[in-house]
Amino acid sequence: MGKQAGADAPVQFAPRSGVNRSGMPLAASRAPAKDLDPWIGRLVASKLVADEATHIACGICNDVAFARIVMGGTWDAQTADGSMEFRDEAILFGPQSRHMPVGCSGHVIAIGIGFRPGAIPCLLGRELAPLVDRIERSDPFGLITNSAAQDYPLDAEPEQWLQTVEEAMRAFIARVQPEKPDPLAAAFEHASFADPTITPGDFAAQHGMSSRKLERLVRRDFGITASTVLRRAKALDLAAQLCGVADEEEESELLLRYFDQSHLIRDFKAFFGTTPAAFRSEPRLFLRINVETRQARRLAELDRIKPGAEPPWRGE
């Protein structure tokens, strides 16, 4: 598989889409244009120039579905359906119930659209649950019209790619005329961003609905149970802290979400298969990008950063 790239060892590639304050690679990400906002939560593009002999072994943990275009190198993933490989194509990621191993040999170029909860049923008319922990080799939104390399030139800047996928999604939405996701799905996601220690029962009571109705809604729009959505949100916030892509002012608050150390370790292992201490010491290049994108969106959704402003962990 070639050389392995470590997370905080000397980096053997050149980042082209941003770094954090420690100089580790990040992605270019931003909110979508206003007309796409009902269905899309975040746009993201990563561009890392690497030696073809270098294989980066890492993973990701999406809390929402993503359409991605992967280019440059050869990508691999361990999904619920087994091992898969991708190169220069569009793929559809479902949300994940736990960490998914993902790697890449060679240049790391990926362009992604993070969909809001409930967007996939509205846009594609299909259930989300069968997509959980899976990847489909498909391009249902028509993101590639000629070839990946023609539509998204390798020498282009990440922002150019983001504008191209926006135009493709705008054309798809104009053609399909989809409904907008249920506002209650957005409210539940907002609750998971603001305080994932809330119980599903308390959320249901606050919104005048039964727990059974909430579970049906969350299963439809998130693909997993309400309690798993909230537990995953806590784990992802902690993972972002460990990766150095979270608001440092929140650190104490994040730890107080757990009853004790054993509770923290048990929950974290359920989603990432390792302890927080071991997680911090291992390579996390892709996961750092993954959770950083989510944290940037989370702070924006909570009005903790101004539209278009850089999050606090970004390098100067």
Side-chain angles (χ1 to χ4, degrees):
M1 299 294 285
K3 297 176 288 184
Q4 297 291 313
D8 297 312
V11 181
Q12 300 181 24
F13 44 78
R16 302 291 177 84
S17 49
V19 296
N20 69 359
R21 287 177 174 172
S22 300
M24 297 310 299
L26 296 175
S29 78
R30 63 169 172 82
K34 288 294 183 183
D35 61 317
L36 302 177
D37 185 72
W39 301 275
I40 298 173
R42 201 77 178 173
L43 300 169
V44 57
S46 305
K47 186 176 184 179
L48 310 174
V49 179
D51 187 316
E52 286 292 336
T54 298
H55 180 263
I56 301 169
C58 192
I60 58 175
C61 190
N62 295 323
D63 61 340
V64 295
F66 266 86
R68 286 191 171 97
I69 300 161
V70 293
M71 301 187 294
T74 299
W75 294 76
D76 56 87
Q78 296 294 325
T79 78
D81 296 320
S83 301
M84 301 181 75
E85 284 196 355
F86 315 93
R87 186 182 181 96
D88 300 330
E89 59 188 292
I91 51 181
L92 182 63
F93 282 73
Q96 292 160 227
S97 65
R98 67 190 312 275
H99 171 269
M100 175 187 287
V102 172
C104 183
S105 297
H107 301 330
V108 176
I109 298 175
I111 307 144
I113 301 171
F115 294 100
R116 291 187 179 278
I120 292 297
C122 292
L123 293 168
L124 300 180
R126 58 180 294 185
E127 294 182 10
L128 189 59
L131 261 178
V132 172
D133 296 325
R134 289 177 165 83
I135 302 174
E136 290 185 355
R137 180 175 265 116
S138 65
D139 184 15
F141 305 106
L143 302 182
I144 298 175
T145 56
N146 298 299
S147 69
Q150 282 182 280
D151 295 340
Y152 305 91
L154 298 183
D155 59 353
E157 292 302 313
E159 176 57 26
Q160 294 175 259
W161 297 333
L162 298 186
Q163 291 177 16
T164 300
V165 295
E166 276 188 318
E167 284 303 315
M169 286 303 305
R170 188 170 288 117
F172 176 88
I173 288 169
R175 184 171 67 253
V176 174
Q177 294 290 304
E179 294 183 359
K180 295 178 181 179
D182 192 324
L184 281 171
F188 189 71
E189 182 184 51
H190 190 276
S192 76
F193 286 162
D195 180 16
T197 63
I198 190 173
T199 68
D202 285 346
F203 178 89
Q206 290 172 10
H207 290 80
M209 61 194 303
S210 68
S211 294
R212 182 173 295 183
K213 181 178 179 181
L214 174 65
E215 282 297 337
R216 287 198 302 268
L217 179 144
V218 174
R219 281 278 193 181
R220 181 194 69 195
D221 291 350
F222 292 78
I224 56 179
T225 67
S227 60
T228 303
V229 169
L230 297 170
R231 289 178 59 228
R232 182 184 60 191
K234 288 197 297 181
L236 285 170
D237 285 343
L238 181 56
Q241 199 79 40
L242 296 173
C243 286
V245 289
D247 188 346
E248 293 178 355
E249 295 181 3
E250 285 191 305
E251 184 171 3
S252 297
E253 177 190 331
L254 297 183
L255 295 176
L256 288 174
R257 292 174 176 177
Y258 295 95
F259 300 126
D260 53 34
Q261 187 74 3
S262 62
H263 177 215
L264 183 155
I265 292 172
R266 183 174 63 252
D267 254 29
F268 194 82
K269 286 182 70 174
F271 290 98
F272 294 103
T274 189
T275 66
F279 179 93
R280 191 196 292 269
S281 67
E282 291 294 320
R284 303 293 170 195
L285 193 151
F286 295 159
L287 193 57
R288 180 186 286 110
I289 290 172
N290 185 204
V291 297
E292 194 263 350
T293 300
R294 177 184 177 274
Q295 281 299 308
R297 177 172 170 244
R298 172 178 171 267
L299 293 188
E301 295 280 342
L302 295 176
D303 295 323
R304 296 268 303 277
I305 55 175
K306 296 179 180 179
E310 290 280 28
W313 55 82
R314 283 270 176 167
E316 296 296 332

mmCIF file of all heavy atoms in Angstrom, residues 153-175:
data_model
loop_
_atom_site.group_PDB
_atom_site.id
_atom_site.type_symbol
_atom_site.label_atom_id
_atom_site.label_comp_id
_atom_site.label_asym_id
_atom_site.label_seq_id
_atom_site.Cartn_x
_atom_site.Cartn_y
_atom_site.Cartn_z
ATOM 1 N N PRO A 153 -11.428 20.750 -13.043
ATOM 2 C CA PRO A 153 -10.008 20.664 -13.399
ATOM 3 C C PRO A 153 -9.111 20.574 -12.158
ATOM 4 O O PRO A 153 -9.313 21.293 -11.176
ATOM 5 C CB PRO A 153 -9.753 21.969 -14.174
ATOM 6 C CG PRO A 153 -11.105 22.368 -14.681
ATOM 7 C CD PRO A 153 -12.076 21.939 -13.631
ATOM 8 N N LEU A 154 -8.120 19.709 -12.230
ATOM 9 C CA LEU A 154 -7.256 19.483 -11.074
ATOM 10 C C LEU A 154 -6.473 20.723 -10.676
ATOM 11 O O LEU A 154 -6.083 20.872 -9.519
ATOM 12 C CB LEU A 154 -6.302 18.319 -11.364
ATOM 13 C CG LEU A 154 -6.954 16.956 -11.627
ATOM 14 C CD1 LEU A 154 -5.892 15.894 -11.826
ATOM 15 C CD2 LEU A 154 -7.889 16.570 -10.490
ATOM 16 N N ASP A 155 -6.233 21.633 -11.633
ATOM 17 C CA ASP A 155 -5.466 22.836 -11.302
ATOM 18 C C ASP A 155 -6.353 23.992 -10.844
ATOM 19 O O ASP A 155 -5.870 25.091 -10.569
ATOM 20 C CB ASP A 155 -4.610 23.275 -12.485
ATOM 21 C CG ASP A 155 -5.444 23.585 -13.734
ATOM 22 O OD1 ASP A 155 -6.667 23.337 -13.713
ATOM 23 O OD2 ASP A 155 -4.854 24.071 -14.722
ATOM 24 N N ALA A 156 -7.656 23.747 -10.729
ATOM 25 C CA ALA A 156 -8.570 24.801 -10.269
ATOM 26 C C ALA A 156 -8.477 24.963 -8.758
ATOM 27 O O ALA A 156 -7.999 24.083 -8.039
ATOM 28 C CB ALA A 156 -10.003 24.471 -10.672
ATOM 29 N N GLU A 157 -8.947 26.098 -8.274
ATOM 30 C CA GLU A 157 -9.001 26.334 -6.839
ATOM 31 C C GLU A 157 -10.282 25.717 -6.266
ATOM 32 O O GLU A 157 -11.291 25.598 -6.970
ATOM 33 C CB GLU A 157 -8.974 27.831 -6.542
ATOM 34 C CG GLU A 157 -7.653 28.496 -6.872
ATOM 35 C CD GLU A 157 -6.489 27.859 -6.125
ATOM 36 O OE1 GLU A 157 -6.617 27.653 -4.896
ATOM 37 O OE2 GLU A 157 -5.464 27.571 -6.762
ATOM 38 N N PRO A 158 -10.255 25.315 -4.974
ATOM 39 C CA PRO A 158 -11.441 24.688 -4.372
ATOM 40 C C PRO A 158 -12.728 25.496 -4.545
ATOM 41 O O PRO A 158 -13.790 24.916 -4.780
ATOM 42 C CB PRO A 158 -11.042 24.556 -2.901
ATOM 43 C CG PRO A 158 -9.557 24.366 -2.934
ATOM 44 C CD PRO A 158 -9.099 25.262 -4.049
ATOM 45 N N GLU A 159 -12.661 26.808 -4.435
ATOM 46 C CA GLU A 159 -13.879 27.617 -4.569
ATOM 47 C C GLU A 159 -14.501 27.470 -5.954
ATOM 48 O O GLU A 159 -15.742 27.497 -6.098
ATOM 49 C CB GLU A 159 -13.587 29.082 -4.258
ATOM 50 C CG GLU A 159 -14.771 30.022 -4.453
ATOM 51 C CD GLU A 159 -16.011 29.666 -3.644
ATOM 52 O OE1 GLU A 159 -15.897 29.020 -2.575
ATOM 53 O OE2 GLU A 159 -17.120 30.027 -4.093
ATOM 54 N N GLN A 160 -13.679 27.283 -6.986
ATOM 55 C CA GLN A 160 -14.231 27.070 -8.324
ATOM 56 C C GLN A 160 -15.033 25.786 -8.373
ATOM 57 O O GLN A 160 -16.092 25.724 -9.000
ATOM 58 C CB GLN A 160 -13.095 27.024 -9.361
ATOM 59 C CG GLN A 160 -12.358 28.334 -9.543
ATOM 60 C CD GLN A 160 -11.186 28.181 -10.487
ATOM 61 O OE1 GLN A 160 -10.031 28.082 -10.083
ATOM 62 N NE2 GLN A 160 -11.475 28.144 -11.775
ATOM 63 N N TRP A 161 -14.533 24.733 -7.719
ATOM 64 C CA TRP A 161 -15.267 23.466 -7.666
ATOM 65 C C TRP A 161 -16.594 23.626 -6.936
ATOM 66 O O TRP A 161 -17.612 23.086 -7.361
ATOM 67 C CB TRP A 161 -14.426 22.402 -6.959
ATOM 68 C CG TRP A 161 -13.151 22.047 -7.647
ATOM 69 C CD1 TRP A 161 -12.872 22.134 -8.988
ATOM 70 C CD2 TRP A 161 -11.975 21.547 -7.024
ATOM 71 N NE1 TRP A 161 -11.605 21.703 -9.225
ATOM 72 C CE2 TRP A 161 -11.020 21.328 -8.052
ATOM 73 C CE3 TRP A 161 -11.630 21.230 -5.714
ATOM 74 C CZ2 TRP A 161 -9.759 20.833 -7.790
ATOM 75 C CZ3 TRP A 161 -10.366 20.723 -5.453
ATOM 76 C CH2 TRP A 161 -9.436 20.537 -6.477
ATOM 77 N N LEU A 162 -16.566 24.378 -5.847
ATOM 78 C CA LEU A 162 -17.797 24.557 -5.073
ATOM 79 C C LEU A 162 -18.849 25.290 -5.892
ATOM 80 O O LEU A 162 -20.041 24.969 -5.815
ATOM 81 C CB LEU A 162 -17.501 25.318 -3.776
ATOM 82 C CG LEU A 162 -16.545 24.632 -2.787
ATOM 83 C CD1 LEU A 162 -16.466 25.426 -1.482
ATOM 84 C CD2 LEU A 162 -16.963 23.191 -2.506
ATOM 85 N N GLN A 163 -18.437 26.263 -6.669
ATOM 86 C CA GLN A 163 -19.386 26.972 -7.519
ATOM 87 C C GLN A 163 -19.962 26.051 -8.590
ATOM 88 O O GLN A 163 -21.153 26.151 -8.946
ATOM 89 C CB GLN A 163 -18.709 28.184 -8.152
ATOM 90 C CG GLN A 163 -18.371 29.284 -7.159
ATOM 91 C CD GLN A 163 -17.631 30.448 -7.792
ATOM 92 O OE1 GLN A 163 -17.615 30.600 -9.006
ATOM 93 N NE2 GLN A 163 -17.010 31.266 -6.962
ATOM 94 N N THR A 164 -19.147 25.122 -9.080
ATOM 95 C CA THR A 164 -19.623 24.187 -10.099
ATOM 96 C C THR A 164 -20.659 23.232 -9.526
ATOM 97 O O THR A 164 -21.696 22.975 -10.163
ATOM 98 C CB THR A 164 -18.447 23.392 -10.688
ATOM 99 O OG1 THR A 164 -17.510 24.306 -11.278
ATOM 100 C CG2 THR A 164 -18.921 22.425 -11.759
ATOM 101 N N VAL A 165 -20.419 22.697 -8.329
ATOM 102 C CA VAL A 165 -21.414 21.777 -7.751
ATOM 103 C C VAL A 165 -22.684 22.529 -7.369
ATOM 104 O O VAL A 165 -23.785 21.971 -7.460
ATOM 105 C CB VAL A 165 -20.869 20.981 -6.536
ATOM 106 C CG1 VAL A 165 -19.755 20.045 -6.966
ATOM 107 C CG2 VAL A 165 -20.417 21.871 -5.404
ATOM 108 N N GLU A 166 -22.553 23.784 -6.964
ATOM 109 C CA GLU A 166 -23.748 24.581 -6.686
ATOM 110 C C GLU A 166 -24.608 24.721 -7.940
ATOM 111 O O GLU A 166 -25.844 24.588 -7.880
ATOM 112 C CB GLU A 166 -23.367 25.970 -6.175
ATOM 113 C CG GLU A 166 -23.079 26.030 -4.693
ATOM 114 C CD GLU A 166 -22.895 27.452 -4.205
ATOM 115 O OE1 GLU A 166 -22.233 28.242 -4.908
ATOM 116 O OE2 GLU A 166 -23.416 27.777 -3.122
ATOM 117 N N GLU A 167 -23.976 25.003 -9.074
ATOM 118 C CA GLU A 167 -24.731 25.155 -10.320
ATOM 119 C C GLU A 167 -25.409 23.847 -10.704
ATOM 120 O O GLU A 167 -26.554 23.842 -11.187
ATOM 121 C CB GLU A 167 -23.806 25.621 -11.448
ATOM 122 C CG GLU A 167 -23.454 27.099 -11.365
ATOM 123 C CD GLU A 167 -24.687 27.986 -11.357
ATOM 124 O OE1 GLU A 167 -25.611 27.739 -12.173
ATOM 125 O OE2 GLU A 167 -24.746 28.923 -10.530
ATOM 126 N N ALA A 168 -24.724 22.720 -10.481
ATOM 127 C CA ALA A 168 -25.324 21.422 -10.798
ATOM 128 C C ALA A 168 -26.536 21.153 -9.909
ATOM 129 O O ALA A 168 -27.583 20.682 -10.376
ATOM 130 C CB ALA A 168 -24.288 20.311 -10.631
ATOM 131 N N MET A 169 -26.419 21.463 -8.615
ATOM 132 C CA MET A 169 -27.538 21.251 -7.704
ATOM 133 C C MET A 169 -28.683 22.211 -8.021
ATOM 134 O O MET A 169 -29.860 21.850 -7.910
ATOM 135 C CB MET A 169 -27.089 21.433 -6.256
ATOM 136 C CG MET A 169 -26.258 20.292 -5.708
ATOM 137 S SD MET A 169 -27.088 18.672 -5.799
ATOM 138 C CE MET A 169 -28.633 18.994 -4.936
ATOM 139 N N ARG A 170 -28.346 23.425 -8.414
ATOM 140 C CA ARG A 170 -29.383 24.400 -8.760
ATOM 141 C C ARG A 170 -30.193 23.897 -9.970
ATOM 142 O O ARG A 170 -31.432 24.004 -9.996
ATOM 143 C CB ARG A 170 -28.721 25.744 -9.052
ATOM 144 C CG ARG A 170 -29.681 26.894 -9.235
ATOM 145 C CD ARG A 170 -28.951 28.220 -9.266
ATOM 146 N NE ARG A 170 -28.457 28.601 -7.933
ATOM 147 C CZ ARG A 170 -27.182 28.742 -7.619
ATOM 148 N NH1 ARG A 170 -26.231 28.511 -8.516
ATOM 149 N NH2 ARG A 170 -26.826 29.092 -6.394
ATOM 150 N N ALA A 171 -29.507 23.331 -10.952
ATOM 151 C CA ALA A 171 -30.190 22.788 -12.126
ATOM 152 C C ALA A 171 -31.056 21.587 -11.743
ATOM 153 O O ALA A 171 -32.186 21.441 -12.232
ATOM 154 C CB ALA A 171 -29.165 22.380 -13.184
ATOM 155 N N PHE A 172 -30.545 20.731 -10.861
ATOM 156 C CA PHE A 172 -31.309 19.558 -10.423
ATOM 157 C C PHE A 172 -32.579 19.986 -9.698
ATOM 158 O O PHE A 172 -33.671 19.474 -9.966
ATOM 159 C CB PHE A 172 -30.445 18.691 -9.501
ATOM 160 C CG PHE A 172 -31.173 17.507 -8.930
ATOM 161 C CD1 PHE A 172 -31.220 16.301 -9.623
ATOM 162 C CD2 PHE A 172 -31.828 17.590 -7.708
ATOM 163 C CE1 PHE A 172 -31.912 15.208 -9.104
ATOM 164 C CE2 PHE A 172 -32.509 16.503 -7.177
ATOM 165 C CZ PHE A 172 -32.553 15.311 -7.880
ATOM 166 N N ILE A 173 -32.459 20.927 -8.781
ATOM 167 C CA ILE A 173 -33.608 21.381 -8.001
ATOM 168 C C ILE A 173 -34.634 22.080 -8.892
ATOM 169 O O ILE A 173 -35.851 21.894 -8.735
ATOM 170 C CB ILE A 173 -33.139 22.287 -6.845
ATOM 171 C CG1 ILE A 173 -32.432 21.430 -5.778
ATOM 172 C CG2 ILE A 173 -34.303 23.056 -6.226
ATOM 173 C CD1 ILE A 173 -31.690 22.211 -4.731
ATOM 174 N N ALA A 174 -34.180 22.852 -9.861
ATOM 175 C CA ALA A 174 -35.105 23.510 -10.792
ATOM 176 C C ALA A 174 -35.881 22.479 -11.601
ATOM 177 O O ALA A 174 -37.067 22.664 -11.903
ATOM 178 C CB ALA A 174 -34.332 24.443 -11.715
ATOM 179 N N ARG A 175 -35.235 21.375 -11.915
ATOM 180 C CA ARG A 175 -35.874 20.328 -12.720
ATOM 181 C C ARG A 175 -36.847 19.488 -11.891
ATOM 182 O O ARG A 175 -37.955 19.171 -12.337
ATOM 183 C CB ARG A 175 -34.792 19.425 -13.331
ATOM 184 C CG ARG A 175 -35.339 18.356 -14.262
ATOM 185 C CD ARG A 175 -34.214 17.655 -14.998
ATOM 186 N NE ARG A 175 -33.368 16.854 -14.130
ATOM 187 C CZ ARG A 175 -32.142 17.175 -13.767
ATOM 188 N NH1 ARG A 175 -31.584 18.310 -14.180
ATOM 189 N NH2 ARG A 175 -31.424 16.379 -12.988
#
